[in-house]
Structures are given as C-alpha cells and as structure tokens.
Amino acid sequence: MKLFNILLTSYILVICLYLNSKAEPITECKPNDIKINETFAISKKTVIYTAPNKNSKKLVNETVSKILKTTHYHTLDYSSTVNAICSRDDYVFIIISTHSAPNETSGWIPKSSLRIINKTSKGQRIYTIQDIYWDEYTSNNKKQFTNAINYLHQHNTLCMKNIDPETLTKSPSKSTKNHPIYFVTCGNSNEMRNVFFDTHDMREWSSIMSK
C-alpha cells in the first residue's frame, strides 16, 4: 500500500508539472511591427518563444509533452523552413509547417536564426550544404551531392514539385560493392517516391550546374 501511494503521488506530481508548464498565449504581430511576409531557412538550432524577448516562455510542444509526460519545447534547426510575418526589435514572428511541428505552429525567434533562401530566376529554391542531411555515405562529397539535389529540383518533374534533402542516403537494396546507388525522396504526399542516381549521374549534373 505504501508503494502504491508513492507511485500515485509521483504520477500526480508529473501531471501537475506538465500542466503548469504549458505555454502562455502567444503574442502576435502588432500594427507598428515591421511587415516581412517572406520565407526563410534556419541557420542554427533555436527554440520558439511566446513573445519577442529572451525572458518570455518557450513554446511547449504539447503533443510530445502529453505523450512523454514531461515538458518538451518546439525547436527549429537547419532543416526547417519558416514564414516570417513581422519583426519587432531583435525578434521575428514566424509560422512553421514542418515534419517536427503541427501546421500553423507560430511564435517568435531571434532574427539571427534566419537564413536567406536563394532562388533561381524561375523561383526555384537553391539548396546549400546547410540544407542537406549528411551521413557516412554522403558526407565525403558534399559539393557534388548538393549539385545533384539542385539539379533534380530544377530538372526532374517529380522533384520540381517537392524534394526532401533530409532523405539523401545510399540505397542498401540497389547498391553493390563497386557501384553505390543513392536516392532522395521527391514529390508531394500523394505521389511521393524515391529518385535514384549514381556517381556518373552526379558528375554529369555537376557539370551542367556549374555552367
């Protein structure tokens, strides 16, 4: 009975801590704030705040916190893309929709966390080394792989719609000892599939992209 009471007390304490840690209402843009309305990448890992100052509360990821029964915060990293709506002092109000956050998650982050997204004359994003997930199979040739990502995004019909640089890696099923095959996932949710290529393709595409 004593053990049961201890466990029950611990459980209640965890629940109370979780409930008390929920984020306060988010401060949104005001008429005097500087309007931005542009899309940016993220230059460094950062948390999202509920107001435009370092003393405000961090934005709680309520879904993850509820599942794990402990407080977890929304964070952004180099793989994130945000819509910057306005700025106030050294902070920007952003809206995100990524794999790690629900649609329309919003809050404030430091301006220094933003990274400009360069685009082609046709408006297509130009990916950089910072945008791509590197593993043991791809990190030895970042420049050619980055060229491959950009070539596919600009010339492959499926990848022109959407390309996920985080999925770049070597194919375990198609590769052989002397002939590695790589892939990246392209397409929107209803037509998503892997696009495969090899080192010969990368050399050819790099030559095209360097012109």
Side-chain angles (χ1 to χ4, degrees):
M1 186 68 178
K2 185 177 180 181
L3 178 60
F4 173 78
N5 289 333
I6 293 174
L7 292 174
L8 180 61
T9 301
S10 299
Y11 178 77
I12 293 173
L13 178 60
V14 170
I15 295 298
C16 289
L17 288 172
Y18 161 68
L19 291 175
N20 290 332
S21 68
K22 284 190 174 182
E24 295 180 342
I26 298 170
T27 301
E28 297 190 356
C29 295
K30 294 182 178 180
N32 292 334
D33 291 335
I34 300 174
K35 303 298 185 293
I36 301 176
N37 294 321
E38 291 185 27
T39 302
F40 290 87
I42 297 296
S43 62
K44 58 186 177 181
K45 188 173 183 180
T46 184
V47 297
I48 304 174
Y49 295 92
T50 57
N53 65 78
K54 63 181 180 180
N55 297 319
S56 62
K57 285 191 174 183
K58 299 174 184 177
L59 184 63
V60 175
N61 188 325
E62 295 188 17
T63 302
V64 175
S65 298
K66 185 175 181 181
I67 293 172
L68 299 179
K69 300 295 190 295
T70 185
T71 305
H72 284 262
Y73 301 102
H74 281 296
T75 59
L76 301 173
D77 59 24
Y78 69 92
S79 66
S80 305
T81 300
V82 302
N83 294 320
I85 307 302
C86 69
S87 68
R88 189 185 309 171
D89 299 324
D90 294 327
Y91 287 78
V92 291
F93 182 76
I94 55 97
I95 297 176
I96 59 173
S97 178
T98 68
H99 67 283
S100 59
N103 290 336
E104 297 305 305
T105 296
S106 59
W108 297 84
I109 63 172
K111 283 182 182 178
S112 59
S113 300
L114 296 179
R115 178 164 54 87
I116 293 174
I117 295 176
N118 293 318
K119 297 183 179 180
T120 67
S121 59
K122 295 181 179 180
Q124 296 163 305
R125 179 172 179 172
I126 299 175
Y127 289 93
T128 69
I129 288 176
Q130 290 178 281
D131 298 317
I132 301 170
Y133 171 75
W134 302 106
D135 61 17
E136 59 183 305
Y137 307 112
T138 58
S139 58
N140 63 333
N141 199 351
K142 293 182 179 181
K143 185 176 181 179
Q144 278 201 343
F145 278 110
T146 302
N147 284 335
I149 292 293
N150 281 310
Y151 177 87
L152 289 170
H153 186 48
Q154 295 174 29
H155 296 88
N156 181 283
T157 303
L158 189 63
C159 297
M160 288 172 69
K161 298 177 181 178
N162 185 59
I163 189 168
D164 186 358
E166 285 191 86
T167 61
L168 175 66
T169 191
K170 186 173 77 171
S171 170
S173 60
K174 294 182 179 294
S175 297
T176 63
K177 183 178 180 180
N178 298 318
H179 188 201
I181 301 294
Y182 305 94
F183 72 88
V184 65
T185 303
C186 290
N188 296 319
S189 57
N190 61 335
E191 56 178 353
M192 195 176 294
R193 69 172 185 267
N194 294 330
V195 175
F196 297 90
F197 55 94
D198 61 13
T199 53
H200 174 76
D201 294 323
M202 285 199 294
R203 285 194 295 269
E204 182 179 336
W205 297 342
S206 289
S207 177
I208 294 173
M209 296 303 293
S210 64
K211 293 180 180 179

